[in-house]
Amino acid sequence: GGEAVAGEEPRARTATALADPPAPAYARAPRRGQGPAVGERVMLRYDHLVVACGNRVSASIVPGAEEYCHRLKEVEDARRLRAAIGESFDMAARPGVSAAERFRLLHFVIVGGGPTGVELAGELTDFLRDAATLYPRLAPIARVTVLQSGPDILPQFDETLRKQAASRLRSRGVDVRTGVRVQRVGPRDISVRAKGGPPDEEEVLPYGVCVWCAGNKPQPFVQSLLESLPPSAAAPDGRIAVDSWLRVRMAAEDGMEPGSIMAMGDVAYECYEDTRDAGDEGACEPLPQTAQVAAQQGAYVARLLNRGYDLTKPTPRLGPARELPGDAKAVEEFWAKAAKWWVRARGLEEASPFEFLNLGILAYIGGGEALSQVQLGDQKLLAEAGSVGFLLWRSVYLVKQVAIRNRVLVTLDWVKTALFGRDMTRF
């Protein structure tokens, strides 16, 4: 394992990685041979570098948010958040705790009313329902508040679904506040103000756990990579500008081979599908930073690389079959040539530009209900909220699992939770 650091050399097709800190002795797995020492920089050579490291949460614009708010971006974030919620219940259950302090500890604030924040609010309401078995006197006073600066939560959905989501969350006790801005986050409270309201009219909300689900910013690796790339590779919001084939925008005149670096997912800024035919790659709306876009881009990049397209051409074309060393060279080359013949027979000698197909958006809102907005491109096919949307949401969730084993495990976990409730154990 390692972490990419500053020192990338795109002209030499090398990237530098820093070895991870060592794990505790009891957690170390047996190793064979000698790996890099801790802190040692490792030089890696590449034929193609695919940048798909995503974004990180941006909480630095509000004083105190970076220091006191939890995030929900990575697995470790979820583990820390779960531990913090459990600790809030344990501290509130201690004897001698005042009613005001207990009220604060069991107030969970979510900043951001997008899909992440709303789904977290829905999951929290389910968690509080299950917590009543262990904390029967505390669960009824636990509260969830969602703070959204815009006029509605879930702005990606149709207006009807947005209003239904807000109504159903409120019916389960979630305090959904729209049109408010966070002014400051402290270790025990958060200050908010109505959007456009007087500066001196701030409301202070005590909280036990605050989760920041608003805004993203690039990873440090992307920032250091852009310093090594020509200005044409820089896009708004610190993202990487790519062309219609997801190649980073750079030319041979910059001393770099075009097509040697590709970007996809949240870090890629590609929005030229509407003006591609006219050859005018002017300003337009970029693709949304969603998992659906990243998944389609990942499959597209994999096809380009596996089929052996020559990415140095203005329009990528199939290149010659790669020469492979070893005893199995003849067999491998036969299958490589057969694969290229099949691609040519399908009329794919030239790679088609990437085109995003919008299939809709889903969001869980708790209580066995979800929003499902199914579409095919710009054509909307279905909009459901409630139990039907929940069935669609879970169906898509299962289909997206990469292995049958995972689908079985996830299904068994759902059945176990439905029968016995959530596992409240903290570890």
Side-chain angles (χ1 to χ4, degrees):
E3 178 183 355
V5 295
E8 296 78 15
E9 291 293 339
R11 292 177 177 82
R13 290 196 178 187
T14 60
T16 304
L18 188 66
D20 285 338
Y26 60 82
R28 294 177 193 165
R31 299 178 60 186
R32 296 181 179 179
Q34 295 295 325
V38 176
E40 178 183 351
R41 295 195 174 193
V42 181
M43 189 71 69
L44 304 174
R45 296 191 176 276
Y46 60 82
D47 296 314
H48 297 283
L49 175 65
V50 180
V51 183
C53 55
N55 281 337
R56 53 180 172 156
V57 175
S58 175
S60 57
I61 57 176
V62 175
E66 194 83 35
E67 294 82 2
Y68 303 114
C69 289
H70 287 264
R71 290 111 171 109
L72 194 55
K73 195 73 173 176
E74 301 176 358
V75 174
E76 284 303 318
D77 296 335
R79 289 175 176 166
R80 284 190 288 265
L81 177 58
R82 173 175 174 146
I85 293 172
E87 288 173 2
S88 291
F89 272 94
D90 285 350
M91 294 178 68
R94 293 176 181 177
V97 177
S98 66
E101 178 65 5
R102 188 174 291 114
F103 189 78
R104 180 191 71 82
L105 288 169
L106 298 180
H107 186 201
F108 306 106
V109 176
I110 301 170
V111 181
T116 301
V118 169
E119 288 200 337
L120 175 58
E123 291 287 352
L124 268 177
T125 59
D126 292 348
F127 180 86
L128 296 179
R129 179 196 60 200
D130 294 339
T133 58
L134 290 181
Y135 304 97
R137 291 186 297 175
L138 296 180
I141 66 175
R143 299 172 300 133
V144 179
T145 298
V146 177
L147 304 176
Q148 166 73 341
S149 62
D152 294 303
I153 61 173
L154 299 173
Q156 300 90 339
F157 285 85
D158 290 339
E159 182 179 0
T160 302
L161 293 179
R162 296 200 300 264
K163 295 187 179 302
Q164 289 187 44
S167 174
R168 299 191 184 198
L169 284 174
R170 290 185 175 115
S171 69
R172 280 192 289 277
V174 178
D175 183 10
V176 179
R177 302 193 182 192
T178 58
V180 296
R181 287 190 179 278
V182 177
Q183 303 298 307
R184 174 193 60 83
V185 180
R188 298 166 62 89
D189 56 50
I190 180 172
S191 298
V192 299
R193 177 169 58 88
K195 201 171 181 179
D200 56 343
E201 292 187 3
E202 290 188 4
E203 182 180 2
V204 178
L205 304 175
Y207 71 83
V209 176
C210 183
V211 188
W212 192 272
C213 301
N216 296 307
K217 62 181 178 181
Q219 299 281 1
F221 168 72
V222 176
Q223 298 172 345
S224 64
L225 176 62
L226 284 173
E227 294 175 359
S228 305
L229 297 175
S232 59
D237 302 324
R239 296 162 70 181
I240 301 175
V242 297
D243 64 9
S244 301
W245 293 270
L246 303 183
R247 300 173 297 189
V248 174
R249 292 189 166 274
M250 54 188 185
E253 296 78 32
D254 300 315
M256 305 175 188
E257 185 172 3
S260 60
I261 303 180
M262 308 180 75
M264 51 165 280
D266 291 351
V267 301
Y269 191 94
E270 192 265 336
C271 64
Y272 305 116
E273 65 278 2
D274 294 333
T275 55
R276 184 178 295 138
D277 293 337
D280 176 19
E281 296 183 343
C284 64
E285 287 295 322
L287 295 175
Q289 293 175 293
T290 63
Q292 185 180 173
V293 173
Q296 293 185 24
Q297 288 179 336
Y300 175 81
V301 170
R303 286 194 297 269
L304 290 183
L305 298 178
N306 288 336
R307 292 173 179 175
Y309 283 103
D310 185 355
L311 299 177
T312 63
K313 305 294 184 183
T315 299
R317 298 178 61 87
L318 285 177
R322 290 175 294 179
E323 295 186 3
L324 302 173
D327 298 335
K329 177 179 178 180
V331 177
E332 294 289 342
E333 286 186 354
F334 168 79
W335 285 114
K337 291 178 180 178
K340 287 186 179 294
W341 175 86
W342 173 243
V343 172
R344 288 190 175 96
R346 296 168 58 194
L348 300 175
E349 186 167 355
E350 285 191 352
S352 301
F354 173 74
E355 294 184 3
F356 170 60
L357 179 61
N358 189 359
L359 300 177
I361 187 170
L362 308 169
Y364 181 62
I365 56 177
E369 296 183 325
L371 305 183
S372 296
Q373 183 172 300
V374 181
Q375 58 191 81
L376 192 63
D378 295 330
Q379 184 66 35
K380 294 180 180 177
L381 305 177
L382 179 68
E384 288 288 343
S387 300
V388 175
F390 177 70
L391 291 176
L392 289 172
W393 177 78
R394 285 214 159 169
S395 300
V396 172
Y397 193 97
L398 276 181
V399 169
K400 291 297 182 181
Q401 300 300 313
V402 296
I404 296 178
R405 175 180 180 273
N406 290 358
R407 294 171 186 169
V408 173
L409 291 176
V410 169
T411 302
L412 292 177
D413 189 56
W414 286 342
V415 173
K416 180 185 68 175
T417 300
L419 294 176
F420 307 108
R422 282 171 170 75
D423 183 8
M424 305 292 292
T425 306
R426 289 192 291 121
F427 53 88

